[in-house]
Amino acid sequence: MALLAVPDATLTVEAIARKANLGAATVVRAFGGKDALLDAAVSRLLAPVVNRARDLLAQTTPHEALCTFLRELIAFQAAHHGISDQLGGLDLPSTAALSADLVAAVEEMIDGARHDGAIRTDLDPAIVTTLITETAHAIARAKPPSQNLADAYLSVLLDGLRPTPRLRT
């Protein structure tokens, strides 16, 4: 798991085994291969993020949950952005299921905030989800990482989602 937090780390069975002070054969026997090993490791990282999203939805308004969660999600992605680059094309069923749960939680935040009038309703929810996803990815990949940049991106995104007052005619 520690290797997943290392920026630009190469995620091979050999590198993972070396980090765990094990032989590559031992890792393969225990997990069945690189895909299964990475699926288990990434799932362990992602599960608390999904749980946090659900907890926020239960504890506060959807808009407050969205604002809080986006800050936390961006920090998480910035700390682990190198992982997603190396997971393409791998068979990761647990990770895929958790990712779907995460998207569903964020969509629930968006839908609730739209319903409450806290964010715009003139934008398709799928577009709002894409805006959030791409903003988080941009922040996570910023070199060097900057909390000021993250705050600016998030401020612009959230300001842009705020409903505009309608002029009376």
Side-chain angles (χ1 to χ4, degrees):
M1 290 261 300
L3 192 61
L4 294 175
V6 175
D8 302 322
T10 301
L11 300 178
T12 63
V13 171
E14 292 78 16
I16 294 166
R18 191 170 37 257
K19 186 75 173 173
N21 294 319
L22 298 170
T26 302
V27 172
V28 170
R29 274 193 307 277
F31 288 94
K34 178 182 175 180
D35 288 13
L37 173 62
L38 289 175
D39 194 25
V42 173
S43 293
R44 283 184 61 189
L45 281 175
L46 197 53
V49 176
V50 174
N51 290 337
R52 175 66 173 153
R54 291 284 174 210
D55 289 347
L56 284 168
L57 274 164
Q59 296 168 357
T60 187
T61 68
H63 184 254
E64 289 173 15
L66 181 65
C67 292
T68 300
F69 186 69
L70 287 180
R71 290 186 196 294
E72 294 174 11
L73 180 63
I74 288 167
F76 174 82
Q77 287 184 325
H80 300 94
H81 79 277
I83 297 170
S84 62
D85 295 339
Q86 298 185 48
L87 298 181
L90 300 180
D91 181 26
L92 308 173
S94 295
T95 299
L98 284 167
S99 293
D101 289 347
L102 182 60
V103 168
V106 171
E107 287 176 348
E108 188 175 337
M109 291 174 192
I110 293 167
D111 289 344
R114 286 169 53 98
H115 181 267
D116 294 346
I119 66 171
R120 297 167 62 157
T121 58
D122 62 322
L123 295 175
D124 183 271
I127 290 174
V128 174
T129 301
T130 300
L131 286 169
I132 289 169
T133 301
E134 294 304 319
T135 299
H137 286 300
I139 295 166
R141 286 173 168 41
K143 299 282 183 186
S146 164
Q147 187 59 50
N148 288 339
L149 179 63
D151 291 344
Y153 261 114
L154 196 52
S155 177
V156 169
L157 174 66
L158 293 173
D159 285 350
L161 291 177
R162 197 171 289 130
T164 55
R166 296 179 189 246
L167 298 175
R168 294 183 182 177
T169 57

